[in-house]
Amino acid sequence: MNINDYGWNRFVGSHPELTDRLATNTECRPARVVGESSQLYRLVSDAGENWAILTGSLLNSFTKKSDFPAVGDWLLADIKTDHEHWIIRETLPRYSALTRKIPGNVTEEQVLASNIDYVFLVNGLDGGRNFNLRGLERYITTAWESGAGPVVILNKADLCEDIEAAVLTAESVAAGAPVLATSALTGEGFPALQKYAVPGTTIVLVGRSGVGKSSIINQFAGS
């Protein structure tokens, strides 16, 4: 497994100050969080993929929810392939993070995903609330604040009678983000999307249920 396909070069390029320190750390290896379950973290590294746990000292050093590892985080882990769990020794700084406020009276944020390059804001052109300008404005603001680049996707273009008008409407609130019309059913628009989906690049898809996020992923996967 090559961790550069998961964005390691992109990450190190964003944090050049880490290069020397990482080069001298022979005990731990870089790994990326690809899943989470009850403080167990699924990691990928050049040694493969496995579940990992936090050290007690690292766990006790966290003071807020956003300190905990999130999907997309890079960290340093003690990787022993003959052990059930790898050991997370250190979390590394993020260059972007998509967050939301934790429900309740406490002003605290939860990190949904980190070290993202693009946020695909998926809308559906099949009518109803799947294409809502006010909601799109909120999504775009959140995406820009994350540090990633928003890309507005108007999916289900095969169900729209006036695609050009829909694109112009979206561009009126897109704040400079590119707007692309696609159809996960026919493949329309995917050549333009493909330039974002390259090895080493991290993309998050955001949108209401039913707009076609899973179908877009399937189209990229080819199955």
Side-chain angles (χ1 to χ4, degrees):
M1 182 176 292
N2 187 341
I3 61 171
N4 288 329
D5 288 342
Y6 286 84
W8 177 242
N9 278 344
R10 167 77 172 88
F11 175 80
V12 174
S14 298
H15 298 289
E17 73 280 2
L18 295 176
T19 304
D20 291 340
R21 183 162 66 86
L22 293 173
T24 59
N25 190 327
T26 58
E27 296 182 356
C28 295
R29 293 153 84 171
R32 195 171 196 190
V33 181
V34 295
E36 176 189 356
S37 177
S38 302
Q39 291 191 11
L40 278 176
Y41 300 92
R42 190 73 178 175
L43 307 185
V44 292
S45 78
D46 54 9
E49 185 172 337
N50 199 36
W51 289 101
I53 58 175
L54 300 163
T55 64
S57 59
L58 185 59
L59 180 62
N60 291 332
S61 71
F62 297 152
T63 60
K64 54 187 182 299
K65 182 72 173 177
S66 59
D67 290 338
F68 284 82
V71 171
D73 273 343
W74 284 99
L75 40 79
L76 298 180
D78 184 356
I79 294 173
K80 293 181 172 62
T81 55
D82 58 341
H83 286 202
E84 180 182 4
H85 295 131
W86 296 343
I87 307 297
I88 299 171
R89 300 287 183 185
E90 181 180 350
T91 57
L92 298 176
R94 300 161 176 145
Y95 64 78
S96 65
L98 188 66
T99 65
R100 69 178 175 191
K101 183 180 179 299
I102 295 176
N105 297 324
V106 179
T107 304
E108 190 175 353
E109 289 186 329
Q110 175 188 8
V111 179
L112 302 176
S114 68
N115 299 313
I116 308 155
D117 299 304
Y118 299 105
V119 181
F120 282 3
L121 308 174
V122 186
N123 303 263
L125 295 181
D126 53 344
R129 299 182 61 193
N130 285 341
F131 182 30
N132 178 279
L133 286 186
R134 183 168 295 181
L136 179 57
E137 285 181 299
R138 290 195 298 268
Y139 278 136
I140 287 174
T141 299
T142 300
W144 281 124
E145 290 176 348
S146 76
V151 178
V152 179
I153 299 177
L154 304 183
N155 194 37
K156 303 188 179 183
D158 53 292
L159 300 178
C160 180
E161 294 183 355
D162 194 341
I163 296 174
E164 183 178 355
V167 170
L168 289 173
T169 300
E171 287 177 341
S172 70
V173 298
V179 178
L180 302 173
T182 66
S183 170
L185 180 65
T186 66
E188 177 184 351
F190 274 79
L193 275 186
Q194 193 65 50
K195 68 178 183 180
Y196 300 100
V198 296
T201 298
T202 300
I203 299 169
V204 167
L205 282 77
V206 177
R208 295 174 60 86
S209 176
V211 294
K213 299 185 297 295
S214 296
S215 298
I216 289 172
I217 293 173
N218 292 341
Q219 181 69 238
F220 278 127
S223 65

